[in-house]
Amino acid sequence: MSIALRIAHGPFGRVALLDMDRSLVRHAHPHCHVLLKVEGADTQFIVGNRVYPLTDSSAVLVDGWKPHSYVHDSTRPRSLILALYVEPHWLKEFRPGWAASGAPGFFEQPYGEVSPRIRKLAMTLAADMMARPECLAAHEETLSDLMIAVIERFTPWRSFPNSIRGMNTSVCDWRIRRVVDAMRAQKESFASVESFAKQAGMSRAHFFRLFESSIGVPPKVYLNVVRMEHALDAVLHQNITVSEISDRLGFPEPAHFTRFFRDHAGVSPREFRNVSRLAN
């Protein structure tokens, strides 16, 4: 079973040190997502529809909302992975155009060779999280240096606009925009994808095609992202039980919620909460 050794969270987003021995389902994040190997076996991720290696010398880089999954080889030892889920608004403080980290095309490709500096900063961050889990300010400072090094190496950041007004925005069908707003407004007892297709006045097949072409991910993946973000907020910030969270989010049984959470985060919601509190 995969183990969360450390989890830090704050204005920067989340940083998780995960000892992985099981695969994760196809999912997405509204964050700039960087995966770095710390130790253990080489492994791999599927980003989009291609497999990319995660090794001592290579990173996996995932744009915001890009579908991806972790593929664990059960014949190999465990892999210790430093997973960064970085908020675009936090990166914007370094350079306005870096708010584009939550949009497609931020990384030139989903895979790249890490520099010695990136490797050193990743190892420093992982070691410091283990030795001093309560030192969030120090972790955030190292994460800042690490993300700047990652962006300078793996993105065409010099071509990004210096203002948010200069950033291009994709055209989205108004019906899909309305559905997306309705999805994000849900707080509990989540409606089905089919109900949103009816709300948009489309057939299921047409709705799925138009949603993915407009947003970049299938509606089921998008809805799971929204549900998972609500779950993470409740697990990290609300003093309610896992059973209460499960009921609030519309899962028929707490075991179904625990499976959903583990399939997306790698560990159970109870373990995620307990480990994250080490930093408090």
Side-chain angles (χ1 to χ4, degrees):
M1 182 177 294
S2 297
I3 301 169
L5 298 181
R6 292 289 187 270
I7 297 169
H9 58 93
F12 51 84
R14 299 191 305 278
V15 180
L17 191 58
L18 303 170
D19 198 5
M20 301 291 291
D21 73 345
R22 70 189 300 270
S23 297
L24 300 180
V25 297
R26 182 176 168 87
H27 61 290
H29 307 284
H31 310 94
C32 171
H33 190 31
V34 179
L35 297 146
L36 297 155
K37 180 190 157 189
V38 176
E39 61 183 51
D42 291 345
T43 188
Q44 57 192 7
F45 282 77
I46 298 176
V47 182
N49 296 312
R50 291 187 57 185
V51 177
Y52 296 94
L54 182 66
T55 70
D56 290 333
S57 60
S58 66
V60 173
L61 312 153
V62 186
D63 289 333
W65 298 105
K66 184 73 172 179
H68 59 283
S69 59
Y70 174 56
V71 184
H72 181 76
D73 184 345
S74 60
T75 65
R76 290 187 174 189
R78 306 168 74 94
S79 301
L80 187 58
I81 298 171
L82 185 68
L84 314 179
Y85 309 81
V86 182
E87 287 286 353
H89 288 296
W90 181 74
L91 284 176
K92 187 180 71 173
E93 298 301 316
F94 299 99
R95 182 180 171 89
W98 288 1
S101 61
F106 184 68
F107 291 117
E108 288 187 295
Q109 56 184 5
Y111 159 85
E113 183 178 348
V114 298
S115 65
R117 176 167 172 75
I118 290 173
R119 177 70 179 166
K120 180 180 179 180
L121 286 168
M123 296 300 289
T124 298
L125 179 56
D128 205 33
M129 288 175 67
M130 289 298 295
R132 303 187 301 161
E134 74 285 356
C135 296
L136 283 178
H139 303 338
E140 184 169 356
E141 183 176 349
T142 305
L143 177 63
S144 300
D145 292 340
L146 176 56
M147 284 306 302
I148 290 170
V150 165
I151 290 170
E152 288 181 342
R153 185 166 180 83
F154 297 122
T155 72
W157 64 274
R158 289 182 179 83
S159 66
F160 292 160
N162 288 319
S163 73
I164 301 304
R165 290 189 184 93
M167 294 168 59
N168 290 326
T169 56
S170 58
V171 177
C172 178
D173 184 276
W174 67 271
R175 295 164 296 180
I176 299 301
R177 284 202 308 270
R178 188 171 66 181
V179 165
V180 165
D181 289 342
M183 286 180 171
R184 297 194 68 82
Q186 293 184 110
K187 301 295 183 183
E188 51 191 60
S189 299
F190 278 55
S192 68
V193 172
E194 287 71 19
S195 70
F196 287 111
K198 290 180 181 178
Q199 178 180 321
M202 304 178 199
S203 69
R204 186 178 187 277
H206 181 51
F207 173 71
F208 270 63
R209 285 195 299 270
L210 186 58
F211 191 101
E212 185 162 7
S213 65
S214 298
I215 304 301
V217 297
K220 179 66 173 176
V221 171
Y222 190 94
L223 192 58
N224 281 342
V225 171
V226 174
R227 184 180 256 188
M228 187 64 186
E229 288 302 306
H230 284 306
L232 285 164
D233 178 70
V235 167
L236 290 172
H237 304 299
Q238 299 177 33
N239 190 27
I240 58 177
T241 67
V242 170
S243 293
E244 289 173 310
I245 298 171
S246 171
D247 188 56
R248 177 184 294 181
L249 295 180
F251 288 90
E253 298 288 342
H256 294 188
F257 169 62
T258 295
R259 187 181 309 115
F260 170 85
F261 195 99
R262 184 183 289 118
D263 285 345
H264 286 77
V267 297
S268 72
R270 186 169 285 104
E271 180 181 355
F272 196 98
R273 171 179 279 172
N274 291 339
V275 173
S276 69
R277 287 177 175 175
L278 294 173
N280 295 333

